[in-house]
């Protein structure tokens, strides 16, 4: 084992353990296994009721992941047949590994508390600490609250192993930035953020020199691990905490950009103008590095990433302030101010962005009720055709979907809601139809919640033939800018669209045929 802070590793990385055979761990493990000079990769998977089945599947060269992952099937078969990858629930094999990476889920306990449930991750860290050898590198790939690597993870590993982080073993955070559907490509091509913990080495004068970020031996060891896997991507070294903030901030900023578009859309509606005119205008200011990356407004923000990573970041600064206060109280630097200087009593901009994005399904309800009123109907007792349950266009992923919020709000108002989605076949607690006719027949209102390509094909004359014309004008609410308002207004629809202040107050045709 190198002396404290030394960067001369005594042996190259040969055996790797990846804990957590999921969307992140499986592609990560098979890519490591395909590197010629990495001799063996163990995929550690606990033999739980919900996921234990993966062990035999993986050892048979079959991926347990849903959906198509280009290249994964063949690569998995290859590394299994070469005996370079083996899935196991025998965690004692961790002792053979030079490197252990943890790709374990880090969900929030519930949408309200927004406190992460680190139970599975802590279990993975305890097993790692129990079996890891001196000189090994531990890397957390899970999305975690900033401060976790230098904090909770380091504490658990040191307690379980009796070793000292940064001296007897290396510790880093290398967050995953993959998208389901292109896991291998993303790992190979995205730049890789690598953040090792700080180490210390004695200077000639006997003082302790801090080796941090790119100079940290843990960072350097992690670079040795990830470099052979990258094709287009390059390594971006930094400190462990900076790596944690990078991961959570990249999604926080995307959420913020979407919230900015949503707020502007609400302003445009209130001022009777078309958001998309303003979008084109603002977007035209390009060149000289002065572009404004404006994103698009919509019926809300769903998914596993953007709905949570802001709260990881917020929790990270809260913990940093608490830790600072603890030091302040120990008299080391008594009375030191709160490390965060921020306008007193003001909410975080990022939390406000989350609140604006979470408001959008509520705005969809406002538009629905207003349109039904203009058609002389009450939402209570109305039939609403909800088009699009997935949180993302042309996807079957419905995690944290805004459609569920809108659905529950309409039900609370006494509406009967029928759901259509061509990609999401089932979801707990609701029925989802793949037949547009069944959902649209007799509907008083059509609400578009996801921008699936199928919905761009809808024609007003076809839809009006299906829905309920007998008691007044049909209604359509467009949450994803899918339809052209005039064509539908001409057919007698009452139209409302997010950001469409220029059309939301359109005159309503009263001479529509109510059908035979
Ligand atoms: N899925 C994505 O697209 C994606 C993208 C970026 C980041 N991430 C992050 O990566 C992490 C993993 O996400 P995922 O989607 O791969 O999760 P997942 O649920 O698909 O896989 C986690 C796996 O770990 C196993 N596991 C849990 N606790 C364990 C333990 N103590 N010991 C051994 N195995 C254990 C589970 O059984 C499961 O098989 C999360 O923090 C997530 O936020 C995921
Ligand atoms: C590795 C990782 O963490 N990757 C993340 C993942 O994020 P994701 O899977 O959650 O997908 P997103 O595209 O972010 O959409 C989220 C929701 O926001 C709505 N939305 C979107 C854009 C817009 O202009 N207006 C909107 O309203 C949309 O309908 C949906 O509900 O992939 C993104 C690249 O796709 C990445 O950038 C992002 O880091």
């Amino acid at each position: 084992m190198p002396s404290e802070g030394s960067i001369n590793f005594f042996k190259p990385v040969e055996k790797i353990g990846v804990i957590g055979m999921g969307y992140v761990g499986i592609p990560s493990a098979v890519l490591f296994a395909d590197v010629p000079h990495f001799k063996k990769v163990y995929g550690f998977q606990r033999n739980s009721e919900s996921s234990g089945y993966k062990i035999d599947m993986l050892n048979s060269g079959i991926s347990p992941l849903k959906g198509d992952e280009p290249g994964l099937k063949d690569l998995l078969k290859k590394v299994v047949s070469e005996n370079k990858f083996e899935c196991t629930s025998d965690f004692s094999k961790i002792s053979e590994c030079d490197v252990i990476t943890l790709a374990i889920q880090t969900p929030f306990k519930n949408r309200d508390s927004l406190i992460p449930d680190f139970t599975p991750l802590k279990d993975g860290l305890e097993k790692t600490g129990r079996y890891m050898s001196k000189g090994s590198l531990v890397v957390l790939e899970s999305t975690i609250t900033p401060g976790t690597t230098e904090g909770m993870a380091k504490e658990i590993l040191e307690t379980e192993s009796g070793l000292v982080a940064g001296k007897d073993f290396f510790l880093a955070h290398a967050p995953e930035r993959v998208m389901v559907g292109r896991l291998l490509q993303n790992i190979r091509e995205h730049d890789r953020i690598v953040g090792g913990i700080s180490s210390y080495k004695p200077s000639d004068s006997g003082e302790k020199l801090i080796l941090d970020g790119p100079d940290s031996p843990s960072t350097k060891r992690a670079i040795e691990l990830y470099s052979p896997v990258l094709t287009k991507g390059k390594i971006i070294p930094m400190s462990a905490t900076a790596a944690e903030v990078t991961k959570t901030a990249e999604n926080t900023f995307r959420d913020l950009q979407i919230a900015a578009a949503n707020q502007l859309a609400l302003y445009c509606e209130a001022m009777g103008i078309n958001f998309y005119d303003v979008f084109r205008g603002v977007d035209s200011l390009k060149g000289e590095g002065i572009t404004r990356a404006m994103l698009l407004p919509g019926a809300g923000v769903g998914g596993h990433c953007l709905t949570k990573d802001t709260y990881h970041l917020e929790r990270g600064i809260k913990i940093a302030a608490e830790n600072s206060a603890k030091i302040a109280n120990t008299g080391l630097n008594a009375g030191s101010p709160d490390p965060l200087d921020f306008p007193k009593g003001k909410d975080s901009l990022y939390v406000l962005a989350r609140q604006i994005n979470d408001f959008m399904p509520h705005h969809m309800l406002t538009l629905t009720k207003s349109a039904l009123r203009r058609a002389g109907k009450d939402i209570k007792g109305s039939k609403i055709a909800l088009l699009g349950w997935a949180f993302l266009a042309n996807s079957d992923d419905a995690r944290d979907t805004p459609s569920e919020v809108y659905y529950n709000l309409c039900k609370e108002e006494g509406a009967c809601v029928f759901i259509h989605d061509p990609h999401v076949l089932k979801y707990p607690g609701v029925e989802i139809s793949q037949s547009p006719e069944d959902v649209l027949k007799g509907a008083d209102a059509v609400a578009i919640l996801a921008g699936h390509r199928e919905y761009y094909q809808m024609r007003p004359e076809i839809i009006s033939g299906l829905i309920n014309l007998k008691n007044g004008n049909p209604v359509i609410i467009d949450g994803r800018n899918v339809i052209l308002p005039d064509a539908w207004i001409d057919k007698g629809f009452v139209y409302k669209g997010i950001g469409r202040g220029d059309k939301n107050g359109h005159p309503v045709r009263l001479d529509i045929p109510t059908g035979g």
Side-chain angles (χ1 to χ4, degrees):
M1 174 62 194
S3 63
E4 180 177 354
S6 84
I7 54 172
N8 306 311
F9 307 125
F10 67 104
K11 72 190 279 282
V13 173
E14 290 186 343
K15 279 195 175 181
I16 298 165
V18 177
I19 301 182
M21 290 290 99
Y23 283 94
V24 164
I26 291 171
S28 181
V30 297
L31 283 171
F32 285 143
D34 198 37
V35 173
H37 63 269
F38 291 157
K39 301 288 178 262
K40 178 82 175 189
V41 176
Y42 289 113
F44 292 99
Q45 173 58 51
R46 60 185 179 181
N47 199 0
S48 61
E49 251 183 57
S50 57
S51 297
Y53 70 93
K54 298 179 180 178
I55 299 170
D56 289 344
M57 278 186 86
L58 286 163
N59 287 332
S60 315
I62 302 164
S63 166
L65 299 183
K66 273 194 337 176
D68 179 36
E69 287 300 338
L72 183 63
K73 197 167 66 172
D74 295 342
L75 188 56
L76 177 58
K77 281 195 186 309
K78 176 173 180 284
V79 295
V80 168
S81 63
E82 293 167 348
N83 193 30
K84 289 205 65 186
F85 170 73
E86 177 190 338
C87 187
T88 178
S89 58
D90 176 3
F91 288 82
S92 68
K93 291 180 187 283
I94 286 176
S95 60
E96 300 172 29
C97 298
D98 307 304
V99 177
I100 304 100
T101 69
L102 291 95
I104 291 173
Q105 72 272 23
T106 49
F108 277 70
K109 287 185 179 121
N110 59 56
R111 275 185 68 86
D112 304 326
S113 75
L114 293 166
I115 304 286
D117 177 5
F118 282 156
T119 311
L121 181 62
K122 283 179 181 173
D123 177 62
L125 286 163
E126 282 157 8
K127 287 181 176 125
T128 302
R130 202 170 310 145
Y131 297 107
M132 65 191 265
S133 307
K134 197 168 182 178
S136 51
L137 163 70
V138 179
V139 184
L140 280 79
E141 293 197 351
S142 300
T143 302
I144 47 183
T145 301
T148 301
T149 305
E150 288 269 13
M152 177 189 88
K154 185 171 153 187
E155 282 155 30
I156 292 174
L157 292 168
E158 289 186 331
T159 305
E160 293 293 326
S161 65
L163 300 172
V164 177
K167 178 173 174 292
D168 302 324
F169 67 94
F170 303 105
L171 177 58
H173 176 56
E176 274 302 343
R177 314 165 89 186
V178 294
M179 285 287 295
V180 172
R182 40 189 190 271
L183 297 171
L184 290 183
Q185 178 196 345
N186 286 167
I187 294 176
R188 285 173 168 145
E189 297 182 3
H190 279 172
D191 290 345
R192 187 90 212 197
I193 309 293
V194 175
I197 59 166
S198 310
S199 283
Y200 304 88
K201 80 169 192 178
S203 69
D204 301 344
S205 60
E207 283 161 30
K208 271 197 165 189
L209 274 183
I210 296 181
L211 294 169
D212 194 9
D215 301 327
S216 151
S218 295
T219 303
K220 290 178 183 293
R221 190 67 165 165
I223 290 171
E224 187 187 336
L225 171 72
Y226 288 104
S227 298
V229 168
L230 298 181
T231 54
K232 279 189 199 159
K234 63 182 184 303
I235 296 276
I236 303 179
M238 57 182 76
S239 71
T241 304
E244 292 162 335
V245 174
T246 299
K247 170 63 189 175
T248 50
E250 69 190 12
N251 286 337
T252 297
F253 265 70
R254 183 168 174 83
D255 195 56
L256 180 63
Q257 287 174 299
I258 297 167
N262 281 330
Q263 178 159 346
L264 185 58
L266 296 173
Y267 285 10
C268 290
E269 284 181 42
M271 291 188 272
I273 58 175
N274 180 355
F275 166 89
Y276 296 93
D277 289 342
V278 175
F279 177 90
R280 266 191 303 280
V282 168
D283 196 48
S284 66
L285 198 60
K286 289 194 190 319
E288 297 162 28
I290 50 174
T291 52
R292 271 79 173 163
M294 192 181 282
L295 294 180
L296 297 174
V301 170
H304 187 66
C305 308
L306 274 61
T307 56
K308 294 188 176 54
D309 286 356
T310 295
Y311 296 112
H312 274 303
L313 180 58
E314 293 293 319
R315 193 165 166 268
I317 189 61
K318 183 166 167 281
I319 291 170
E322 286 164 1
N323 291 345
S324 171
K326 277 183 211 148
I327 297 172
N329 295 337
T330 58
L332 285 177
N333 47 353
S336 71
D338 179 338
L340 176 63
D341 190 14
F342 191 75
K344 287 287 170 278
K346 296 297 179 196
D347 265 344
S348 150
L349 172 66
Y350 305 141
V351 169
L352 185 55
R354 284 274 64 243
Q355 291 162 353
I356 292 169
N357 290 336
D358 280 350
F359 173 71
M360 297 315 283
H362 295 259
H363 181 56
M364 283 294 286
L365 175 69
T366 303
L367 293 176
T368 305
K369 290 168 76 173
S370 163
L372 283 166
R373 271 197 300 276
R374 293 202 72 193
K377 302 175 187 176
D378 188 324
I379 189 166
K380 189 171 179 185
S382 288
K383 174 181 177 181
I384 296 173
L386 191 165
L387 306 186
W389 193 256
F391 85 84
L392 204 57
N394 310 316
S395 159
D396 67 353
D397 194 338
R399 288 178 293 182
D400 294 292
T401 180
S403 303
E404 186 167 21
V405 177
Y406 173 75
Y407 172 83
N408 291 332
L409 289 170
C410 291
K411 297 285 280 181
E412 284 162 22
E413 295 281 344
C416 303
V417 188
F418 293 78
I419 305 163
H420 174 269
D421 194 299
H423 307 280
V424 182
L425 307 182
K426 57 182 188 311
Y427 186 90
V430 294
E431 267 189 53
I432 299 177
S433 166
Q434 276 69 53
S435 155
E437 293 74 16
D438 289 353
V439 169
L440 288 162
K441 205 182 312 163
D444 297 290
V446 180
I448 303 169
L449 272 291
H452 293 325
R453 65 176 68 84
E454 290 83 353
Y455 300 147
Y456 287 82
Q457 323 302 329
M458 290 195 301
R459 292 289 166 266
E461 59 277 9
I462 306 295
I463 304 303
S464 57
L466 280 172
I467 66 180
N468 176 6
L469 294 180
K470 287 200 168 29
N471 59 349
N473 297 70
V475 161
I476 189 157
I477 305 97
D478 188 356
R480 296 290 179 193
N481 192 36
V482 164
I483 63 172
L484 296 174
D486 289 344
W488 295 75
I489 293 168
D490 291 348
K491 283 281 181 259
F493 280 79
V494 175
Y495 166 89
K496 295 282 184 188
I498 286 186
R500 294 309 303 266
D502 58 325
K503 296 292 178 186
N504 286 349
H506 69 86
V508 178
R509 276 187 55 184
L510 301 175
D511 60 340
I512 58 159
T514 54

